[in-house]
Amino acid sequence: MLNEREIESCYLGQFIPLHYHHNMLMDQNRMHPFKSAIAYAVKPGAKVLELGGGTGVLSWFAASQASKVYCVEFNPDMVKEARKFLALNPNGDKVEVIHADAFEYLPPEPVDVVICEMLHVGMLREKQVEVIESFKRRYLERFGGPLPIFLPEAVIMAVQPLQQEYDFEGFYAPIVQFQETTVIYPGTVEMAPPAVYSIIDFNQPNELLYSWQGKFVVERNGEINAMRFVTKNILQVVQERSSTIDWLMGYMTLPLATPVKAREGDVLQVSFQYRAGGSLPSLQASLQAEVLYEAALQPQRVAAFA
C-alpha cells in the first residue's frame, strides 16, 4: 500500500507531463508577477536556491542579478529540459540544475533567497508548506541563522459559498471546477462574500493542518451547492511602496455533498479541515454547510415613529 505522499507523487512528482510545465510558461498571470517579485528580491551578487525548478524559468529570472543559482528538480525529464532551455538563454550558465529531492537537498553554502513554486489552490496536492518547513529546520541546523528570504513570502486563503450550475448539455455532474479569475461564468452565482480562513507566513513556523468553521450572511435566495476556494500568493512585500507583488491563482470550486437551500439574510455555517499537500477528496470529505439561522424565522423589528 502506498502512503498519501507516494500516491500524490504519481500525479505531481516525477510523473507530471512536460506539457503541464510548458503551459505554465504561457500563463502570463503567473509569469509576470514572479518575474517582478524575483527582480525585486534578488540583489546583485546574491546566492539563490529554487526548490522544484521545473523548466528553470524562475531560476533564470534570478540569474539576471544573482551570482549563483541552485535549481533543484526531482523529475529527471524536467532536469534535462531545464538544462536544455537554460543553455539557450543568456546567464543560463549561472544556474546549476541539480537532480535531487527538495525534501532532502541543502545548498553547499548559505543562500540569500529561496524560490519555491509548489503551489496549488488551498495549498492542496503540492508540498509547498511541507517542503519549506523541512528546509527551514535543516538549513538552520547546518548554517544557523538568519533564514533566507522566501518567495512567495505569504499566502492568503479564503472560501466563498456559491450556487454553481452542473448541467453539461443536459448531463448533471457535480464536479470539481477550476475557473479563471478574470472571466465571468454565467452558471456561477456568488451567495456571500469570501471569508479568509488562513494566512501563511513563510517567515514563521507553520502548521500543516487547516481546520476552519465560519459563518456567512447569505445575500440572495438560492441553493448553495458548492464552495469556491481562493488563494492569493504574496510573492514579495515591497516595503518602500507599502505594497505587495501578488499572484491570484485560479479559483477552485468544490461541490457540496448535500446542497443547502437558503434565503437572503440567512446565516450559513461552513466547516472543513485538511492537511497541507493533501488530496482534493480529503477536503471534499470534510466539507459541510448548514443554515444556522433562517432570516424568515427571526423576530421582525417594528419601526418606531415619534
Side-chain angles (χ1 to χ4, degrees):
M1 293 291 291
L2 299 177
N3 61 36
E4 186 175 39
R5 179 178 168 188
E6 291 168 328
I7 291 170
E8 285 296 309
S9 74
C10 297
Y11 297 98
L12 297 167
Q14 64 269 41
F15 297 102
I16 285 184
L18 295 184
H19 70 263
Y20 182 88
H21 292 273
H22 298 167
N23 289 340
M24 288 193 286
L25 286 175
M26 295 186 290
D27 183 358
Q28 288 302 306
N29 182 51
R30 170 184 178 270
M31 292 285 283
H32 181 71
F34 267 103
K35 185 176 183 179
S36 298
I38 290 169
Y40 175 79
V42 178
K43 308 306 179 187
K47 305 291 177 65
V48 178
L49 169 66
E50 183 181 6
L51 299 171
T55 58
V57 62
L58 303 186
S59 286
W60 181 74
F61 289 158
S64 66
Q65 293 273 68
S67 61
K68 176 70 177 182
V69 183
Y70 301 96
C71 177
V72 178
E73 174 57 47
F74 188 56
N75 180 336
D77 292 332
M78 288 311 308
V79 169
K80 295 177 184 176
E81 193 95 332
R83 288 172 178 165
K84 178 181 73 175
F85 291 151
L86 287 163
L88 299 173
N89 286 276
N91 295 316
D93 58 313
K94 293 184 183 179
V95 182
E96 180 182 350
V97 181
I98 300 153
H99 182 205
D101 188 337
F103 276 104
E104 300 172 357
Y105 180 82
L106 278 175
E109 60 181 330
V111 294
D112 303 292
V113 179
V114 172
I115 302 167
C116 187
E117 200 277 74
M118 298 182 185
L119 296 166
H120 188 281
V121 181
M123 296 293 104
L124 287 157
R125 298 192 70 203
E126 299 209 49
K127 308 301 182 183
Q128 176 87 8
V129 181
E130 193 174 353
V131 163
I132 293 296
E133 293 307 304
S134 170
F135 170 83
K136 288 191 290 192
R137 289 192 298 271
R138 293 179 291 108
Y139 186 91
L140 289 173
E141 287 174 2
R142 176 174 294 184
F143 300 114
L147 285 167
I149 294 170
F150 292 99
L151 197 159
E153 286 196 59
V155 178
I156 301 171
M157 298 189 289
V159 65
Q160 180 180 26
L162 302 179
Q163 178 175 283
Q164 179 64 49
E165 182 180 288
Y166 290 116
D167 185 299
F168 302 94
E169 297 295 330
F171 183 67
Y172 176 71
I175 59 171
V176 177
Q177 296 186 38
F178 292 90
Q179 299 177 335
E180 295 181 31
T181 60
T182 56
V183 176
I184 296 175
Y185 294 88
T188 301
V189 179
E190 299 178 357
M191 299 297 285
V196 173
Y197 68 86
S198 183
I199 298 176
I200 303 169
D201 180 350
F202 288 113
N203 297 300
Q204 303 295 327
N206 289 292
E207 299 295 329
L208 299 179
L209 184 67
Y210 307 117
S211 182
W212 189 77
Q213 183 178 87
K215 298 179 179 66
F216 300 88
V217 178
V218 178
E219 294 188 338
R220 54 186 55 85
N221 300 342
E223 181 180 74
I224 296 166
N225 63 351
M227 299 300 297
R228 167 189 281 169
F229 286 82
V230 181
T231 303
K232 177 188 281 188
N233 298 286
I234 310 300
L235 301 183
Q236 282 291 281
V237 176
V238 184
Q239 295 183 354
E240 57 267 31
R241 296 204 303 263
S242 298
S243 64
T244 57
I245 302 172
D246 304 331
W247 174 32
L248 177 61
M249 303 178 77
Y251 301 136
M252 178 180 70
T253 299
L254 300 184
L256 287 170
T258 306
V260 177
K261 293 283 188 182
R263 300 185 65 81
E264 181 182 353
D266 287 355
V267 175
L268 180 77
Q269 180 172 278
V270 174
S271 63
F272 57 83
Q273 70 173 26
Y274 64 96
R275 181 180 174 84
S279 65
L280 270 63
S282 70
L283 169 55
Q284 284 184 281
S286 73
L287 189 56
Q288 296 184 357
E290 62 176 333
V291 173
L292 205 58
Y293 302 108
E294 294 184 34
L297 300 180
Q298 303 308 307
Q300 300 297 311
R301 295 183 178 179
V302 179
F305 295 93

